[in-house]
Amino acid sequence: QKYLHTEQWVLLLKHFNTDSSSSDELISFSSYQELSPPDDCFWADPFVVSEGGKDYVFFEELPFVTERGHLSCMEVFADGSHSEPVVIIKQDHHLSYPNIFYFESTYYMIPESGDNGTVDLYRCTDFPYEWEHHKTLIKNIHAYDSTLVEYDGRWWLFATVVPELGLSGCETLHIFHADSPISTDWQPHGNNPVISNAECARPGGNFYINDNKLYRISQDCAGQYGAGVNVNKVTKLDTLTYEEDVMHRYYPDWDDDLVALHTLNFNENIAVADVLRVKAKGFSL
């Protein structure tokens, strides 16, 4: 397979017609437009922000030559085209999953930096392309795909956690809570790990609310890494208890050359996802 094929994560993009958009339109992945990176890298873990009448996608960009991800941003347009990606955060360790949020008139971001043993917070100094390291929220932890949500008067940080590097970052979901998303006093949930199951533990996008119910996006990594995405309804969340029900599972079954789907994010304007595409290598004699 390695000699005959290449694998590349690519982005999917969907613009909504606000007068007629629906949940069916959101999960109709076959109607998304595909945004393909150059052959020497992949694009994954997309998040979206609409600001000033423009739509932006923040994502992981990983050059194959370094195998170390950094974070990039590009503007996307209604016709499916996009601006040239701009590198916004690059470190000497791997970065991915740019979980971006707005708090007290400022954009912040918590990228995945599990290999560095930290959960770090970045602050935007000039939206969307200028960012600086603001503080480290949690030290001495290998946490993957940290995802924030404000619920019931507190802030909750969900991430899969491993005790040491080299172990799977897909199996055990942990929760931490604080009174502010930029606090450095994050308390572990009283029942960590709240989920020990590769089918649904690892976060796969932002939380959302529908009909006053909270939903969590997660990855199905049981068969392979990022095989599909789950939509989970949160039925109980407090400092001692967490319960959720898996409502839907989605896989890239609309195209035989796609083998994984592991991120979904959206707002009122656009939705983004990522898929792993397998391509046959071309050989000449």
Side-chain angles (χ1 to χ4, degrees), residues 199-262:
E199 286 187 345
C200 57
R202 187 164 179 157
N206 274 325
F207 288 78
Y208 70 93
I209 294 175
N210 186 38
D211 291 334
N212 295 318
K213 301 295 184 181
L214 182 66
Y215 291 86
R216 185 178 77 93
I217 305 293
S218 69
Q219 302 181 39
D220 181 352
C221 297
Q224 71 175 76
Y225 170 69
V229 295
N230 311 302
V231 175
N232 313 286
K233 182 167 69 174
V234 177
T235 57
K236 190 164 186 179
L237 172 58
D238 58 40
T239 58
L240 297 176
T241 309
Y242 179 72
E243 297 175 1
E244 68 177 26
D245 295 326
V246 179
M247 306 302 293
H248 305 284
R249 299 185 190 274
Y250 300 106
Y251 301 95
D253 52 9
W254 65 91
D255 187 325
D256 290 340
D257 293 330
L258 302 178
V259 296
L261 163 74
H262 79 353

Side-chain angles (χ1 to χ4, degrees), residues 1-7 281 283:
Q1 286 288 342
K2 287 181 64 177
Y3 285 110
L4 297 178
H5 300 85
T6 60
E7 293 184 344
K281 292 182 178 179
F283 291 93

Side-chain angles (χ1 to χ4, degrees), residues 2-196:
K2 287 181 64 177
Y3 285 110
L4 297 178
H5 300 85
T6 60
E7 293 184 344
Q8 185 181 42
W9 286 96
V10 303
L11 303 184
L12 300 180
L13 172 69
K14 175 83 171 181
H15 281 83
F16 294 132
N17 180 337
T18 55
D19 295 330
S20 61
S21 59
S22 66
S23 58
D24 290 339
E25 188 178 5
L26 173 66
I27 53 86
S28 180
F29 294 108
S30 61
S31 66
Y32 281 49
Q33 296 168 294
E34 190 168 306
L35 306 183
S36 297
D39 290 340
D40 62 353
C41 68
F42 72 57
W43 295 344
D45 293 350
F47 284 74
V48 296
V49 173
S50 297
E51 180 71 35
K54 298 180 179 181
D55 299 318
Y56 299 94
V57 178
F58 296 80
F59 58 98
E60 173 196 357
E61 185 171 35
L62 185 144
F64 293 135
V65 67
T66 65
E67 296 189 347
R68 178 186 298 157
H70 57 256
L71 303 181
S72 295
C73 174
M74 61 188 176
E75 184 181 355
V76 294
F77 307 107
D79 61 0
S81 61
H82 58 83
S83 65
E84 188 70 18
V86 175
V87 177
I88 57 171
I89 304 176
K90 191 173 185 178
Q91 298 286 5
D92 58 3
H93 56 268
H94 177 77
L95 294 173
S96 62
Y97 200 82
N99 185 210
I100 185 171
F101 64 97
Y102 194 68
F103 179 70
E104 295 183 345
S105 302
T106 302
Y107 280 104
Y108 292 93
M109 182 188 296
I110 301 178
E112 186 267 289
S113 56
D115 290 356
N116 193 50
T118 56
V119 175
D120 290 319
L121 179 71
Y122 289 78
R123 183 174 69 91
C124 188
T125 57
D126 187 9
F127 188 85
Y129 301 121
E130 300 294 330
W131 295 78
E132 66 179 14
H133 184 269
H134 186 57
K135 63 176 73 170
T136 296
L137 301 183
I138 308 177
K139 299 178 180 180
N140 302 316
I141 185 173
H142 300 294
Y144 295 88
D145 296 350
S146 296
T147 307
L148 280 176
V149 64
E150 186 179 14
Y151 178 79
D152 198 23
R154 291 193 68 72
W155 286 85
W156 308 83
L157 188 152
F158 287 64
T160 48
V161 176
V162 298
E164 60 183 75
L165 288 178
L167 300 179
S168 171
C170 300
E171 297 182 3
T172 55
L173 179 66
H174 291 236
I175 302 175
F176 304 86
H177 56 92
D179 58 4
S180 165
I182 62 175
S183 170
T184 56
D185 185 24
W186 289 89
Q187 301 299 311
H189 191 274
N191 197 35
N192 277 341
V194 296
I195 294 177
S196 298

